[in-house]
Every structure is written in C-alpha cells, then in structure tokens.
Amino acid sequence: MQLKLRRILVTGGAGYIGSHAALALLEAGCDVVVLDNLCNSSKESLARVAHLGGRALNFVLGDVRDSDLLRSIFADKEIDAVLHFAGLKSVGESVGNPLAYYDNNVSGTLKLCEAMSDAGVRKLVFSSSATVYGDPHEMPVSEATPTGSLTNPYGRSKLIVEQFLQDLAISDDRWSIAALRYFNPVGAHSSGLIGEDPGGIPNNLLPYISQVAVGKLDFLSVFGGDYSTRDGTGVRDYIHVLDLVHGHLCALDALQNRAGFNIWNLGTGRGYSVLEIISAFERASGRSIPYKIVPRRQGDIKECWADTAKALAELKWVAVRGLDEMMIDAWRWQSLNPNGYHKAPSRTDSVK
Ligand code: NAD
Ligand code: UD1
C-alpha cells in the first residue's frame, strides 16, 4: 500500500504493535520517526524493523510527555501525521498505580496534541481498545454500542482520551483523528524477528501460552470454565497484529480526506474460546499446553467480538489472517526468541 502522507511520527514505535506498524510504514515508502522512552521495549526491535524494512528509520529516545522534545521533533522532521501507540497497558498495574496510567496515557496524549497543534500537524491515529465497551450486552459490538462503565484506570484512561480527542475535533475542524478500538492483538511478523516481548510473567493469554509451550511456565490457568459460552471459557476476537497495523495504514489514508473524530473497530468479527485457542496453538506448535481451570479473573467479561462493518465500509479494511496463521506466527516468534529481544544478536547499526 502506498500512502500520500510521507513522514510519520510513531510514538511507542519500539513496542509490540508500534514496531510492526513502523515496519509497515517503511514498506509503504514512508519516512518513519519513532519516539519511545523504552519503558516497555528495547531498541533491538527497531534494529530488526530497519533490517526487515531494508532501510533506516529515525529513533528519538524520549518521552511523549516532554513538550520541548516534541516541539523539536515537529520543528526538525516535517511530520505529516502521528500514530500514537505510546502508553502503559497493564490493567492490573493500573489498579495499583492509577496516577502513572493517567499521567502516561492521558497527559501524554494531551502534550502530544498541544505540540501537534502548535506545529500545525493535525492528523492523528490513536490506539484505543475494545475495553471501552465495558461488559457489552449484545454481540457483536459496533462503534454505536454504548461505552461501558469501566472498572479500571487503564480502560478509563482510553475512554478519557477518546472523549477529549472528540472535543478537540469539534473545536477545530482542521483536525482529522482516528480512534482505533483494538480487539485482542496476537501473532507476530512472519519472519519471527519481531513480536510481543512482555516483561515478567505475562497477563495476556497468547504470551502466557507461548511461554508454557517453550517450558518457561509449567501450565496455563484458564480463568473460568463456567461462563455461558459454548465450552464455558471466555470468548474473544483475536486479530493478527499484521492485519491490525494494516488497519492503521488504511486509517491514515482515510484521514487525508476526512476531517473530524472517527472511531473504527479493528477486529475480525469472530470469537474464539480459551480452549479453542489452546487447541489451535497446540496444532501450530506441535507442543501440548497443560492447563487447569481456575476461578474467573476479576474484571473479565464473558465474551467480546467486533462488528467490522464500519471499518469495511469506510476504510475498505478487513482482517484476512485466520486463527492458524496467528498461532503459527506467535509460535515462530516465541520459539526463535525464547527470551524475547534479550540475548539476541544486535543489529543496531541500522538505527540512526
Ligand atoms: P507496548 O508496551 O509493547 O508498546 C508501548 C510502547 O510505548 C513501548 O515501547 C513503551 O516503551 C512506549 N512508551 C510507553 N510510555 C511512553 C512514554 N510516556 N513516552 C514514550 N514512549 C512510551 O504495547 P502495545 O501492545 O504495542 O500497545 C500499543 C498501544 O496499543 C498502547 O497504547 C496500548 O494501550 C494499546 N492497546 C494494546 C492492546 C494489546 O493487547 N496489546 C490492546 C488494545 C490497545
Ligand atoms: C485484557 C484486558 C483488556 C486489554 C487487553 C489487551 C483484563 C481484564 N482485560 O483483555 O483491558 O485491553 O487485555 O491488553 O485484563 N485468560 C486465561 N488465562 C490467562 C490469561 C487469559 O484464561 O492466563 C483468558 C481470559 O480470561 C480471557 C482470554 O483469555 O477470556 C483473553 O485474555 P487476555 O489476553 O488477558 O485479554 P482480555 O482479557 O480480553
């Protein structure tokens, strides 16, 4: 896909989704500037992105809350648009440390928007989450589904940002903003060189299963076997990270001719249960995944999957990768990089 917007600032571009987006942008012929403070990532991901993309990207080590740094980036780099991934994303951690989450996710986005406004850059794609729907009553969830009552600071930080971005777009019609509500991103680039590298014991299902498969963890705890779903376990809409980042490029493309505040769901429209994910991962990896059914995790919902019609109609975007490809790519990444980006050969030469 070729984009007319050429110079893109990617905040949080060293992280899981941001690194895949940075690569997709390089492949689309864009100049990429990554701003990341590396609080949950390493520079090695960007070295690998540059290696895969066949050309250098520009890396700025710093914080999205640093207004002076943002001002200098916008002054120097002639940015056309921003993909804003930078933020904290652990639900459990957000309950224990809400101020860090509001500061990073809410203040960080405020500072970014101020600097963008001052620089006259008003095209923004924001990483939101299906978590803003709370515990929806009807499936699938469309963008018109009311946002829910949220039970944790992480979710509230996403909803607060969506709301002030909408206010911003109403106040000044030169803004073109997309809030992309991700369902459950999984998988990795097919090279196995970049992927998800959670610190410590993973909270999310796929990283946890992957670490059981390589023998770093003994078994998976399945949170709840008594939901009213087809097999009693929770159902989610898992989406391949490459489909997800393609959705960002389609959103950038759409923002060229579309003012205002736009919300798009990025999901596949199909839900799988935890037990179905375990089976699919076992097929992909050839390893067995021992598991135990344990009580439900507090704050979990029974099921959630996307209505994808709006993104199809307005972005001409649809997820094309199926469950097997998600699992095969997740396993390739995990098996080639059992310790994530640590202890890996360095390719930092190609990062400027
Ligand atoms: P990630 O932690 O891998 O990436 C986030 C990146 O942002 C990291 O590289 C981190 O170092 C950087 N960062 C954090 N705070 C920063 C700051 N103040 N200044 C500069 N850099 C900062 O997470 P991810 O999974 O790639 O998620 C990206 C975005 O998508 C996040 O905003 C997250 O909330 C959102 N999201 C993720 C998921 C998911 O399941 N992964 C689901 C819904 C939404
Ligand atoms: C979680 C967050 C959500 C966030 C999303 C992406 C919670 C309550 N929700 O969503 O806000 O946007 O991650 O970061 O944390 N499961 C197990 N065992 C595990 C891990 C998960 O059985 O060890 C189950 C869960 O109960 C759920 C499914 O697997 O049914 C997916 O869980 P997870 O990957 O954590 O994603 P979400 O809960 O959908």
Side-chain angles (χ1 to χ4, degrees):
M1 179 176 191
Q2 289 298 309
L3 284 173
K4 291 208 189 84
L5 298 167
R6 307 301 296 172
R7 286 170 302 268
I8 314 294
L9 173 63
V10 183
T11 75
Y16 171 42
I17 303 169
S19 58
H20 289 81
L23 175 57
L25 289 169
L26 286 180
E27 289 170 344
C30 297
D31 292 332
V32 177
V33 178
V34 166
L35 171 65
D36 201 302
N37 65 6
L38 302 181
C39 70
N40 195 37
S41 54
S42 83
K43 209 174 154 188
E44 176 64 20
S45 65
L46 294 175
R48 296 186 186 192
V49 166
H51 170 75
L52 289 167
R55 63 202 176 85
L57 53 75
N58 214 288
F59 173 55
V60 179
L61 175 62
D63 198 294
V64 79
R65 293 163 292 182
D66 183 342
S67 299
D68 292 338
L69 179 61
L70 287 174
R71 212 164 285 125
S72 76
I73 292 172
F74 285 115
D76 291 351
K77 313 284 189 198
E78 297 179 41
I79 301 295
D80 295 321
V82 179
L83 294 188
H84 179 39
F85 297 99
L88 303 179
K89 64 167 182 174
S90 165
V91 171
E93 190 183 67
S94 79
V95 174
N97 196 354
L99 296 184
Y101 274 71
Y102 289 119
D103 185 30
N104 232 290
N105 296 1
V106 180
S107 302
T109 312
L110 272 175
K111 300 265 190 231
L112 176 66
C113 290
E114 281 166 8
M116 289 177 68
S117 179
D118 290 348
V121 179
R122 294 189 182 84
K123 295 194 189 315
L124 172 67
V125 177
F126 169 64
S127 300
S128 190
S129 169
T131 201
V132 300
Y133 294 115
D135 192 354
H137 297 304
E138 281 182 5
M139 289 299 133
V141 282
S142 82
E143 293 81 349
T145 300
T147 51
S149 60
L150 301 173
T151 55
N152 61 78
Y154 168 74
R156 273 194 282 272
S157 76
K158 291 291 175 190
L159 193 53
I160 291 168
V161 170
E162 280 199 9
Q163 288 165 341
F164 82 65
L165 291 177
Q166 183 165 24
D167 290 340
L168 186 58
I170 289 169
S171 74
D172 181 343
D173 62 13
R174 291 171 299 176
W175 279 93
S176 299
I177 300 176
L180 302 181
R181 292 179 176 165
Y182 307 166
F183 282 67
N184 288 61
V186 296
H189 189 262
S190 57
S191 64
L193 281 178
I194 56 173
E196 186 169 12
D197 184 15
I201 297 185
N203 296 310
N204 296 119
L205 181 63
L206 249 293
Y208 204 104
I209 290 182
S210 304
Q211 296 200 8
V212 172
V214 285
K216 290 176 81 175
L217 297 167
D218 292 338
F219 65 91
L220 172 75
S221 295
V222 174
F223 298 139
D226 57 352
Y227 287 106
S228 56
T229 58
R230 52 189 167 269
D231 61 19
T233 65
V235 170
R236 297 291 186 276
D237 184 339
Y238 298 91
I239 174 169
H240 198 298
V241 66
L242 294 181
D243 282 330
L244 188 82
V245 301
H246 185 235
H248 289 66
L249 269 59
C250 293
L252 271 181
D253 200 39
L255 291 187
Q256 283 175 152
N257 306 310
R258 203 181 176 99
F261 178 73
N262 305 273
I263 297 173
W264 288 295
N265 280 345
L266 296 185
T268 66
R270 173 141 196 209
Y272 289 100
S273 73
V274 177
L275 296 184
E276 288 166 343
I277 294 294
I278 294 173
S279 297
F281 197 92
E282 288 182 330
R283 275 198 309 278
S285 64
R287 306 262 174 119
S288 91
I289 306 295
Y291 69 87
K292 291 180 192 166
I293 309 260
V294 302
R296 296 178 181 189
R297 178 171 65 181
Q298 200 189 350
D300 266 359
I301 57 174
K302 173 177 80 159
E303 60 188 9
C304 188
W305 65 90
D307 182 330
T308 58
K310 187 167 186 270
L312 178 61
E314 296 178 357
L315 300 180
K316 309 280 175 276
W317 172 86
V318 68
V320 295
R321 293 167 178 85
L323 186 62
D324 288 341
E325 189 170 350
M326 299 181 212
M327 300 299 125
I328 287 167
D329 289 341
W331 172 240
R332 187 183 299 108
W333 156 253
Q334 181 68 56
S335 52
L336 290 175
N337 307 271
N339 298 313
Y341 290 111
H342 304 287
K343 298 185 190 143
S346 175
R347 288 202 190 84
T348 43
D349 297 349
S350 41
V351 177
K352 283 200 286 195

